[in-house]
Amino acid sequence: MRQLTSALLLISGLAFGQAPKNLKADVKLPKEPTYTSAPNGFPVFDTPAQVMNAFNYARRQEEKQMRLPANSLGTLSLPENYTKLAPAERALLLTNWERKARAEVNYGDEKALGLPLEALETHLNAVAQAHAADMTTHNFFGHTSRDGRTALQRINAQTVFSGKCYEFMSRAENIYMFCYYSSDKPVLELPVFIVEQAIFSWLYQDAAVAWGHRETMLIQDKDASGGKGFQNNRGGVGSEGFLGVGLSTRADYGPCSKMPGYQRVGHVVVMNLVDPAPDCPYSLP
C-alpha cells in the first residue's frame, strides 16, 4: 500500500513544463486610459499604445504571480506598420510574440518551449470565419455550430485537414465576444483592436473557464494540463502549428445583455489551431 500511495503522489505531481503554467488570478488592468478605454479593468483598446501598455502590464503581473524573475517575459513593442496589417496578420504576430516571450522561462518545473506558430492557413481561416458568421447570423455564442458540429468536426470537414493531413491536439478553438452599446444608431464597424482584446482576455483574464483559452494560446508539445499538443513534424523545428482567424458583427446580438435605452452590437472573434502533418497540400497566404 505504501508503494501504491507513493506512485499516486508522483502521478499527481507531474508537471507539463513545455507549456507555461496557468495564472493564479485574472489580471485586471488599471482603470486608466493609459491601459484601457474601459472603466472596469477589462481590455478595450483604441490605440496601439494602449495595446502595448496593457500587455506589458499583464506580463509584469504574471511575473509577480508566478514568482518569475523581474522582466523575464520581456517587453512588447509594436512595429510602426502594425495598424496597417489585417486583423488575422496581427493576431498571428501578437500570439507569436506572447508565445516566444515565454521561451526558456522556468515556471517552476521545466523551461517553457515558447515556439511560435508557423503561419496562417487559408482553409483554417475559412473555418474560423464560417463559425464566426454562424454565431452572428443565428444569434448564439458557443463552440458547437448551429448544425451540431464541434470545432474538430468543422476543421476535419475541410479536405486538406482530413485523414493523414490532420494530427489531433487537445486544443482547437478559442472564441471571444465583445458587446458594444450606443444610445444612437448601432455601430457595426469592428473595433480596430478587437483581436488584441480577444488575445488579452484569453491569456490574462480567463480564470472563469479554468484558463482553457490561455492553454490553447500557449499550447506547445503539451498544454498546461498535460493534453496532447503539437508533434512538430512539418518543416523546421523552430515553429509549429497553423492559425485561422474569423471575425463577425451583428446588431442586436442576442448573447449581449439588453440595456434600456441603448442599442447593442456584438463582435465575435474565432481562432482555430491545427497541428499540420508533413507532405500535405496546405495553403499559406
Side-chain angles (χ1 to χ4, degrees):
M1 179 63 71
R2 183 176 300 169
Q3 290 180 337
L4 176 59
T5 302
S6 298
L8 289 174
L9 288 173
L10 178 61
I11 292 172
S12 65
L14 284 175
F16 306 100
Q18 285 190 327
K21 287 185 177 180
N22 295 326
L23 301 183
K24 299 176 181 178
D26 285 343
V27 175
K28 285 297 181 71
L29 291 170
K31 300 173 184 179
E32 303 171 10
T34 300
Y35 302 96
T36 178
S37 295
N40 54 8
F42 290 107
V44 177
F45 305 136
D46 293 319
T47 68
Q50 285 179 324
V51 174
M52 288 189 291
N53 292 336
F55 275 85
N56 287 324
Y57 176 85
R59 288 185 184 187
R60 302 291 82 81
Q61 298 307 305
E62 178 168 335
E63 290 163 357
K64 291 178 181 179
Q65 282 193 30
M66 308 309 292
R67 298 185 178 182
L68 303 175
N71 299 313
S72 57
L73 298 182
T75 300
L76 175 66
S77 180
L78 302 180
E80 289 185 7
N81 69 334
Y82 184 76
T83 57
K84 297 179 181 179
L85 301 174
E89 294 173 317
R90 300 201 316 267
L92 177 65
L93 281 175
L94 186 54
T95 297
N96 281 345
W97 289 330
E98 288 295 299
R99 290 169 65 88
K100 291 189 292 184
R102 291 158 176 81
E104 297 297 309
V105 175
N106 193 325
Y107 280 75
D109 301 296
E110 185 181 355
K111 291 181 179 179
L113 197 56
L115 290 180
L117 302 175
E118 179 182 345
L120 295 165
E121 205 284 334
T122 303
H123 301 90
L124 198 57
N125 280 337
V127 171
Q129 184 58 46
H131 187 52
D134 187 29
M135 286 192 283
T136 54
T137 299
H138 297 108
N139 226 17
F140 75 97
F141 182 74
H143 289 287
T144 303
S145 301
R146 189 168 178 266
D147 61 8
R149 291 185 300 166
T150 65
L152 290 180
Q153 289 170 329
R154 292 191 296 272
I155 292 170
N156 292 152
Q158 291 279 339
T159 303
V160 73
F161 294 127
S162 62
K164 69 179 182 65
C165 290
Y166 178 80
E167 297 182 336
F168 175 79
M169 292 199 307
S170 62
R171 306 284 174 177
E173 182 176 82
N174 278 354
I175 57 176
Y176 169 81
M177 176 179 70
F178 176 62
C179 298
Y180 183 85
Y181 297 87
S182 172
S183 57
D184 300 318
K185 62 181 181 180
V187 179
L188 294 176
E189 184 178 354
L190 276 165
V192 174
F193 296 107
I194 186 72
V195 296
E196 289 79 4
Q197 293 174 195
I199 292 170
F200 186 97
S201 296
W202 293 330
L203 286 175
Y204 297 112
Q205 296 185 353
D206 203 41
V209 291
W211 301 102
H213 297 104
R214 176 182 166 93
E215 292 195 14
T216 301
M217 297 298 294
L218 299 178
I219 189 171
Q220 299 285 319
D221 293 356
K222 295 180 180 178
D223 64 25
S225 297
K228 184 175 176 58
F230 296 107
Q231 295 188 44
N232 199 12
N233 55 5
R234 168 193 152 86
V237 297
S239 63
E240 54 185 3
F242 290 151
L243 179 69
V245 180
L247 310 169
S248 192
T249 293
R250 174 176 175 148
D252 199 30
Y253 184 47
C256 293
S257 301
K258 288 186 176 181
M259 293 180 62
Y262 287 86
Q263 302 286 336
R264 58 180 175 172
V265 175
H267 306 288
V268 171
V269 179
V270 178
M271 291 178 64
N272 289 118
L273 289 179
V274 156
D275 183 15
D279 304 320
C280 289
Y282 304 115
S283 175
L284 308 185

PDB file of all heavy atoms in Angstrom, residues 43-71:
ATOM      1  N   PRO A  43     -10.075  44.724 -21.099  1.00  0.00           N
ATOM      2  CA  PRO A  43      -9.317  45.276 -22.227  1.00  0.00           C
ATOM      3  C   PRO A  43     -10.213  45.839 -23.326  1.00  0.00           C
ATOM      4  O   PRO A  43     -10.907  45.093 -24.020  1.00  0.00           O
ATOM      5  CB  PRO A  43      -8.527  44.065 -22.736  1.00  0.00           C
ATOM      6  CG  PRO A  43      -9.393  42.892 -22.394  1.00  0.00           C
ATOM      7  CD  PRO A  43     -10.069  43.242 -21.101  1.00  0.00           C
ATOM      8  N   VAL A  44     -10.215  47.141 -23.471  1.00  0.00           N
ATOM      9  CA  VAL A  44     -10.863  47.815 -24.594  1.00  0.00           C
ATOM     10  C   VAL A  44      -9.835  48.808 -25.131  1.00  0.00           C
ATOM     11  O   VAL A  44      -9.530  49.806 -24.480  1.00  0.00           O
ATOM     12  CB  VAL A  44     -12.152  48.546 -24.175  1.00  0.00           C
ATOM     13  CG1 VAL A  44     -12.747  49.285 -25.373  1.00  0.00           C
ATOM     14  CG2 VAL A  44     -13.168  47.558 -23.606  1.00  0.00           C
ATOM     15  N   PHE A  45      -9.302  48.504 -26.303  1.00  0.00           N
ATOM     16  CA  PHE A  45      -8.164  49.258 -26.821  1.00  0.00           C
ATOM     17  C   PHE A  45      -8.574  50.138 -28.000  1.00  0.00           C
ATOM     18  O   PHE A  45      -9.234  49.684 -28.930  1.00  0.00           O
ATOM     19  CB  PHE A  45      -7.052  48.303 -27.269  1.00  0.00           C
ATOM     20  CG  PHE A  45      -6.610  47.330 -26.202  1.00  0.00           C
ATOM     21  CD1 PHE A  45      -6.400  45.989 -26.505  1.00  0.00           C
ATOM     22  CD2 PHE A  45      -6.404  47.748 -24.897  1.00  0.00           C
ATOM     23  CE1 PHE A  45      -5.991  45.092 -25.537  1.00  0.00           C
ATOM     24  CE2 PHE A  45      -5.999  46.857 -23.913  1.00  0.00           C
ATOM     25  CZ  PHE A  45      -5.792  45.522 -24.236  1.00  0.00           C
ATOM     26  N   ASP A  46      -8.140  51.389 -27.949  1.00  0.00           N
ATOM     27  CA  ASP A  46      -8.383  52.327 -29.041  1.00  0.00           C
ATOM     28  C   ASP A  46      -7.101  52.785 -29.716  1.00  0.00           C
ATOM     29  O   ASP A  46      -7.153  53.392 -30.787  1.00  0.00           O
ATOM     30  CB  ASP A  46      -9.137  53.562 -28.524  1.00  0.00           C
ATOM     31  CG  ASP A  46     -10.549  53.231 -28.074  1.00  0.00           C
ATOM     32  OD1 ASP A  46     -11.220  52.441 -28.765  1.00  0.00           O
ATOM     33  OD2 ASP A  46     -10.980  53.752 -27.026  1.00  0.00           O
ATOM     34  N   THR A  47      -5.954  52.512 -29.098  1.00  0.00           N
ATOM     35  CA  THR A  47      -4.675  52.963 -29.648  1.00  0.00           C
ATOM     36  C   THR A  47      -3.629  51.864 -29.520  1.00  0.00           C
ATOM     37  O   THR A  47      -3.719  51.005 -28.629  1.00  0.00           O
ATOM     38  CB  THR A  47      -4.160  54.210 -28.903  1.00  0.00           C
ATOM     39  OG1 THR A  47      -3.799  53.835 -27.559  1.00  0.00           O
ATOM     40  CG2 THR A  47      -5.209  55.317 -28.881  1.00  0.00           C
ATOM     41  N   PRO A  48      -2.600  51.890 -30.380  1.00  0.00           N
ATOM     42  CA  PRO A  48      -1.502  50.930 -30.229  1.00  0.00           C
ATOM     43  C   PRO A  48      -0.805  51.067 -28.878  1.00  0.00           C
ATOM     44  O   PRO A  48      -0.349  50.065 -28.316  1.00  0.00           O
ATOM     45  CB  PRO A  48      -0.560  51.287 -31.384  1.00  0.00           C
ATOM     46  CG  PRO A  48      -1.411  51.983 -32.386  1.00  0.00           C
ATOM     47  CD  PRO A  48      -2.438  52.724 -31.590  1.00  0.00           C
ATOM     48  N   ALA A  49      -0.726  52.291 -28.360  1.00  0.00           N
ATOM     49  CA  ALA A  49      -0.072  52.494 -27.062  1.00  0.00           C
ATOM     50  C   ALA A  49      -0.807  51.745 -25.957  1.00  0.00           C
ATOM     51  O   ALA A  49      -0.180  51.161 -25.064  1.00  0.00           O
ATOM     52  CB  ALA A  49      -0.001  53.983 -26.740  1.00  0.00           C
ATOM     53  N   GLN A  50      -2.133  51.758 -26.002  1.00  0.00           N
ATOM     54  CA  GLN A  50      -2.893  51.009 -25.001  1.00  0.00           C
ATOM     55  C   GLN A  50      -2.603  49.513 -25.099  1.00  0.00           C
ATOM     56  O   GLN A  50      -2.475  48.831 -24.076  1.00  0.00           O
ATOM     57  CB  GLN A  50      -4.393  51.259 -25.179  1.00  0.00           C
ATOM     58  CG  GLN A  50      -4.867  52.617 -24.696  1.00  0.00           C
ATOM     59  CD  GLN A  50      -6.355  52.809 -24.921  1.00  0.00           C
ATOM     60  OE1 GLN A  50      -6.915  52.349 -25.916  1.00  0.00           O
ATOM     61  NE2 GLN A  50      -7.007  53.507 -24.001  1.00  0.00           N
ATOM     62  N   VAL A  51      -2.501  49.003 -26.317  1.00  0.00           N
ATOM     63  CA  VAL A  51      -2.195  47.583 -26.503  1.00  0.00           C
ATOM     64  C   VAL A  51      -0.850  47.252 -25.859  1.00  0.00           C
ATOM     65  O   VAL A  51      -0.734  46.300 -25.070  1.00  0.00           O
ATOM     66  CB  VAL A  51      -2.179  47.215 -28.000  1.00  0.00           C
ATOM     67  CG1 VAL A  51      -1.716  45.768 -28.192  1.00  0.00           C
ATOM     68  CG2 VAL A  51      -3.558  47.416 -28.619  1.00  0.00           C
ATOM     69  N   MET A  52       0.168  48.020 -26.183  1.00  0.00           N
ATOM     70  CA  MET A  52       1.499  47.762 -25.623  1.00  0.00           C
ATOM     71  C   MET A  52       1.500  47.899 -24.106  1.00  0.00           C
ATOM     72  O   MET A  52       2.036  47.034 -23.394  1.00  0.00           O
ATOM     73  CB  MET A  52       2.525  48.722 -26.244  1.00  0.00           C
ATOM     74  CG  MET A  52       2.870  48.414 -27.684  1.00  0.00           C
ATOM     75  SD  MET A  52       4.264  49.401 -28.314  1.00  0.00           S
ATOM     76  CE  MET A  52       3.516  51.036 -28.376  1.00  0.00           C
ATOM     77  N   ASN A  53       0.906  48.963 -23.598  1.00  0.00           N
ATOM     78  CA  ASN A  53       0.914  49.187 -22.152  1.00  0.00           C
ATOM     79  C   ASN A  53       0.162  48.089 -21.409  1.00  0.00           C
ATOM     80  O   ASN A  53       0.598  47.631 -20.344  1.00  0.00           O
ATOM     81  CB  ASN A  53       0.302  50.551 -21.829  1.00  0.00           C
ATOM     82  CG  ASN A  53       1.163  51.701 -22.304  1.00  0.00           C
ATOM     83  OD1 ASN A  53       2.372  51.560 -22.473  1.00  0.00           O
ATOM     84  ND2 ASN A  53       0.553  52.855 -22.539  1.00  0.00           N
ATOM     85  N   ALA A  54      -0.965  47.659 -21.971  1.00  0.00           N
ATOM     86  CA  ALA A  54      -1.765  46.628 -21.313  1.00  0.00           C
ATOM     87  C   ALA A  54      -1.024  45.293 -21.271  1.00  0.00           C
ATOM     88  O   ALA A  54      -0.970  44.627 -20.224  1.00  0.00           O
ATOM     89  CB  ALA A  54      -3.102  46.470 -22.031  1.00  0.00           C
ATOM     90  N   PHE A  55      -0.456  44.893 -22.401  1.00  0.00           N
ATOM     91  CA  PHE A  55       0.239  43.606 -22.430  1.00  0.00           C
ATOM     92  C   PHE A  55       1.495  43.637 -21.561  1.00  0.00           C
ATOM     93  O   PHE A  55       1.809  42.653 -20.880  1.00  0.00           O
ATOM     94  CB  PHE A  55       0.575  43.214 -23.870  1.00  0.00           C
ATOM     95  CG  PHE A  55      -0.552  42.504 -24.569  1.00  0.00           C
ATOM     96  CD1 PHE A  55      -1.563  43.221 -25.196  1.00  0.00           C
ATOM     97  CD2 PHE A  55      -0.619  41.123 -24.591  1.00  0.00           C
ATOM     98  CE1 PHE A  55      -2.619  42.576 -25.835  1.00  0.00           C
ATOM     99  CE2 PHE A  55      -1.662  40.457 -25.225  1.00  0.00           C
ATOM    100  CZ  PHE A  55      -2.672  41.191 -25.844  1.00  0.00           C
ATOM    101  N   ASN A  56       2.210  44.737 -21.558  1.00  0.00           N
ATOM    102  CA  ASN A  56       3.398  44.817 -20.717  1.00  0.00           C
ATOM    103  C   ASN A  56       3.028  44.838 -19.232  1.00  0.00           C
ATOM    104  O   ASN A  56       3.720  44.234 -18.401  1.00  0.00           O
ATOM    105  CB  ASN A  56       4.228  46.041 -21.094  1.00  0.00           C
ATOM    106  CG  ASN A  56       4.948  45.847 -22.418  1.00  0.00           C
ATOM    107  OD1 ASN A  56       5.404  44.746 -22.730  1.00  0.00           O
ATOM    108  ND2 ASN A  56       5.055  46.899 -23.215  1.00  0.00           N
ATOM    109  N   TYR A  57       1.939  45.513 -18.900  1.00  0.00           N
ATOM    110  CA  TYR A  57       1.460  45.488 -17.515  1.00  0.00           C
ATOM    111  C   TYR A  57       1.104  44.053 -17.112  1.00  0.00           C
ATOM    112  O   TYR A  57       1.471  43.584 -16.024  1.00  0.00           O
ATOM    113  CB  TYR A  57       0.236  46.391 -17.369  1.00  0.00           C
ATOM    114  CG  TYR A  57      -0.384  46.347 -15.997  1.00  0.00           C
ATOM    115  CD1 TYR A  57       0.097  47.147 -14.962  1.00  0.00           C
ATOM    116  CD2 TYR A  57      -1.457  45.496 -15.726  1.00  0.00           C
ATOM    117  CE1 TYR A  57      -0.470  47.097 -13.695  1.00  0.00           C
ATOM    118  CE2 TYR A  57      -2.025  45.443 -14.467  1.00  0.00           C
ATOM    119  CZ  TYR A  57      -1.536  46.245 -13.453  1.00  0.00           C
ATOM    120  OH  TYR A  57      -2.098  46.184 -12.200  1.00  0.00           O
ATOM    121  N   ALA A  58       0.401  43.351 -17.994  1.00  0.00           N
ATOM    122  CA  ALA A  58      -0.010  41.983 -17.683  1.00  0.00           C
ATOM    123  C   ALA A  58       1.195  41.052 -17.552  1.00  0.00           C
ATOM    124  O   ALA A  58       1.207  40.154 -16.699  1.00  0.00           O
ATOM    125  CB  ALA A  58      -0.963  41.472 -18.756  1.00  0.00           C
ATOM    126  N   ARG A  59       2.202  41.255 -18.381  1.00  0.00           N
ATOM    127  CA  ARG A  59       3.412  40.429 -18.252  1.00  0.00           C
ATOM    128  C   ARG A  59       4.072  40.632 -16.893  1.00  0.00           C
ATOM    129  O   ARG A  59       4.523  39.678 -16.253  1.00  0.00           O
ATOM    130  CB  ARG A  59       4.399  40.763 -19.374  1.00  0.00           C
ATOM    131  CG  ARG A  59       3.981  40.272 -20.753  1.00  0.00           C
ATOM    132  CD  ARG A  59       5.076  40.549 -21.776  1.00  0.00           C
ATOM    133  NE  ARG A  59       4.684  40.178 -23.131  1.00  0.00           N
ATOM    134  CZ  ARG A  59       5.510  40.188 -24.175  1.00  0.00           C
ATOM    135  NH1 ARG A  59       6.777  40.552 -24.009  1.00  0.00           N
ATOM    136  NH2 ARG A  59       5.078  39.843 -25.377  1.00  0.00           N
ATOM    137  N   ARG A  60       4.121  41.882 -16.442  1.00  0.00           N
ATOM    138  CA  ARG A  60       4.720  42.149 -15.127  1.00  0.00           C
ATOM    139  C   ARG A  60       3.896  41.485 -14.013  1.00  0.00           C
ATOM    140  O   ARG A  60       4.459  40.954 -13.048  1.00  0.00           O
ATOM    141  CB  ARG A  60       4.807  43.658 -14.879  1.00  0.00           C
ATOM    142  CG  ARG A  60       5.595  44.474 -15.906  1.00  0.00           C
ATOM    143  CD  ARG A  60       7.096  44.199 -15.878  1.00  0.00           C
ATOM    144  NE  ARG A  60       7.481  43.020 -16.617  1.00  0.00           N
ATOM    145  CZ  ARG A  60       7.644  42.988 -17.952  1.00  0.00           C
ATOM    146  NH1 ARG A  60       7.439  44.076 -18.679  1.00  0.00           N
ATOM    147  NH2 ARG A  60       8.033  41.874 -18.551  1.00  0.00           N
ATOM    148  N   GLN A  61       2.573  41.509 -14.166  1.00  0.00           N
ATOM    149  CA  GLN A  61       1.726  40.875 -13.159  1.00  0.00           C
ATOM    150  C   GLN A  61       1.879  39.356 -13.182  1.00  0.00           C
ATOM    151  O   GLN A  61       1.851  38.706 -12.132  1.00  0.00           O
ATOM    152  CB  GLN A  61       0.258  41.268 -13.385  1.00  0.00           C
ATOM    153  CG  GLN A  61      -0.022  42.752 -13.245  1.00  0.00           C
ATOM    154  CD  GLN A  61       0.475  43.314 -11.933  1.00  0.00           C
ATOM    155  OE1 GLN A  61       0.129  42.828 -10.852  1.00  0.00           O
ATOM    156  NE2 GLN A  61       1.316  44.338 -12.007  1.00  0.00           N
ATOM    157  N   GLU A  62       2.050  38.791 -14.365  1.00  0.00           N
ATOM    158  CA  GLU A  62       2.295  37.348 -14.451  1.00  0.00           C
ATOM    159  C   GLU A  62       3.605  36.989 -13.759  1.00  0.00           C
ATOM    160  O   GLU A  62       3.681  35.979 -13.042  1.00  0.00           O
ATOM    161  CB  GLU A  62       2.326  36.891 -15.911  1.00  0.00           C
ATOM    162  CG  GLU A  62       2.615  35.404 -16.071  1.00  0.00           C
ATOM    163  CD  GLU A  62       2.379  34.881 -17.473  1.00  0.00           C
ATOM    164  OE1 GLU A  62       1.571  35.479 -18.213  1.00  0.00           O
ATOM    165  OE2 GLU A  62       2.992  33.847 -17.828  1.00  0.00           O
ATOM    166  N   GLU A  63       4.621  37.794 -13.968  1.00  0.00           N
ATOM    167  CA  GLU A  63       5.900  37.537 -13.299  1.00  0.00           C
ATOM    168  C   GLU A  63       5.732  37.529 -11.781  1.00  0.00           C
ATOM    169  O   GLU A  63       6.307  36.684 -11.083  1.00  0.00           O
ATOM    170  CB  GLU A  63       6.916  38.596 -13.721  1.00  0.00           C
ATOM    171  CG  GLU A  63       7.360  38.477 -15.175  1.00  0.00           C
ATOM    172  CD  GLU A  63       8.020  39.734 -15.703  1.00  0.00           C
ATOM    173  OE1 GLU A  63       8.095  40.740 -14.961  1.00  0.00           O
ATOM    174  OE2 GLU A  63       8.458  39.722 -16.869  1.00  0.00           O
ATOM    175  N   LYS A  64       4.934  38.462 -11.270  1.00  0.00           N
ATOM    176  CA  LYS A  64       4.720  38.520  -9.820  1.00  0.00           C
ATOM    177  C   LYS A  64       3.921  37.316  -9.332  1.00  0.00           C
ATOM    178  O   LYS A  64       4.272  36.693  -8.322  1.00  0.00           O
ATOM    179  CB  LYS A  64       3.999  39.817  -9.458  1.00  0.00           C
ATOM    180  CG  LYS A  64       4.834  41.071  -9.651  1.00  0.00           C
ATOM    181  CD  LYS A  64       4.034  42.330  -9.319  1.00  0.00           C
ATOM    182  CE  LYS A  64       4.863  43.587  -9.543  1.00  0.00           C
ATOM    183  NZ  LYS A  64       4.084  44.818  -9.257  1.00  0.00           N
ATOM    184  N   GLN A  65       2.841  36.990 -10.044  1.00  0.00           N
ATOM    185  CA  GLN A  65       2.011  35.856  -9.632  1.00  0.00           C
ATOM    186  C   GLN A  65       2.793  34.549  -9.629  1.00  0.00           C
ATOM    187  O   GLN A  65       2.659  33.728  -8.717  1.00  0.00           O
ATOM    188  CB  GLN A  65       0.809  35.710 -10.569  1.00  0.00           C
ATOM    189  CG  GLN A  65      -0.327  36.672 -10.332  1.00  0.00           C
ATOM    190  CD  GLN A  65      -1.584  36.247 -11.073  1.00  0.00           C
ATOM    191  OE1 GLN A  65      -1.831  35.058 -11.292  1.00  0.00           O
ATOM    192  NE2 GLN A  65      -2.397  37.226 -11.456  1.00  0.00           N
ATOM    193  N   MET A  66       3.602  34.354 -10.661  1.00  0.00           N
ATOM    194  CA  MET A  66       4.299  33.083 -10.836  1.00  0.00           C
ATOM    195  C   MET A  66       5.707  33.098 -10.241  1.00  0.00           C
ATOM    196  O   MET A  66       6.466  32.147 -10.406  1.00  0.00           O
ATOM    197  CB  MET A  66       4.373  32.732 -12.328  1.00  0.00           C
ATOM    198  CG  MET A  66       3.028  32.787 -13.055  1.00  0.00           C
ATOM    199  SD  MET A  66       1.719  31.855 -12.234  1.00  0.00           S
ATOM    200  CE  MET A  66       2.305  30.187 -12.444  1.00  0.00           C
ATOM    201  N   ARG A  67       6.055  34.210  -9.578  1.00  0.00           N
ATOM    202  CA  ARG A  67       7.368  34.356  -8.938  1.00  0.00           C
ATOM    203  C   ARG A  67       8.509  34.148  -9.933  1.00  0.00           C
ATOM    204  O   ARG A  67       9.497  33.452  -9.652  1.00  0.00           O
ATOM    205  CB  ARG A  67       7.487  33.398  -7.754  1.00  0.00           C
ATOM    206  CG  ARG A  67       6.463  33.680  -6.657  1.00  0.00           C
ATOM    207  CD  ARG A  67       6.662  32.802  -5.450  1.00  0.00           C
ATOM    208  NE  ARG A  67       5.697  33.129  -4.405  1.00  0.00           N
ATOM    209  CZ  ARG A  67       5.647  32.542  -3.208  1.00  0.00           C
ATOM    210  NH1 ARG A  67       6.525  31.585  -2.917  1.00  0.00           N
ATOM    211  NH2 ARG A  67       4.743  32.898  -2.321  1.00  0.00           N
ATOM    212  N   LEU A  68       8.353  34.775 -11.073  1.00  0.00           N
ATOM    213  CA  LEU A  68       9.396  34.743 -12.093  1.00  0.00           C
ATOM    214  C   LEU A  68      10.337  35.922 -11.880  1.00  0.00           C
ATOM    215  O   LEU A  68       9.956  36.924 -11.272  1.00  0.00           O
ATOM    216  CB  LEU A  68       8.770  34.839 -13.489  1.00  0.00           C
ATOM    217  CG  LEU A  68       7.738  33.775 -13.862  1.00  0.00           C
ATOM    218  CD1 LEU A  68       7.133  34.092 -15.227  1.00  0.00           C
ATOM    219  CD2 LEU A  68       8.353  32.387 -13.859  1.00  0.00           C
ATOM    220  N   PRO A  69      11.547  35.836 -12.381  1.00  0.00           N
ATOM    221  CA  PRO A  69      12.452  36.990 -12.292  1.00  0.00           C
ATOM    222  C   PRO A  69      11.843  38.215 -12.966  1.00  0.00           C
ATOM    223  O   PRO A  69      11.131  38.102 -13.968  1.00  0.00           O
ATOM    224  CB  PRO A  69      13.704  36.507 -13.034  1.00  0.00           C
ATOM    225  CG  PRO A  69      13.653  35.016 -12.943  1.00  0.00           C
ATOM    226  CD  PRO A  69      12.199  34.660 -12.988  1.00  0.00           C
ATOM    227  N   ALA A  70      12.097  39.378 -12.420  1.00  0.00           N
ATOM    228  CA  ALA A  70      11.565  40.619 -12.978  1.00  0.00           C
ATOM    229  C   ALA A  70      11.970  40.764 -14.442  1.00  0.00           C
ATOM    230  O   ALA A  70      13.125  40.510 -14.813  1.00  0.00           O
ATOM    231  CB  ALA A  70      12.068  41.813 -12.175  1.00  0.00           C
ATOM    232  N   ASN A  71      11.006  41.139 -15.269  1.00  0.00           N
ATOM    233  CA  ASN A  71      11.216  41.381 -16.701  1.00  0.00           C
ATOM    234  C   ASN A  71      11.621  40.137 -17.485  1.00  0.00           C
ATOM    235  O   ASN A  71      12.127  40.250 -18.609  1.00  0.00           O
ATOM    236  CB  ASN A  71      12.254  42.488 -16.913  1.00  0.00           C
ATOM    237  CG  ASN A  71      11.814  43.802 -16.303  1.00  0.00           C
ATOM    238  OD1 ASN A  71      10.678  44.235 -16.495  1.00  0.00           O
ATOM    239  ND2 ASN A  71      12.699  44.432 -15.541  1.00  0.00           N
TER     240      ASN A  71
END
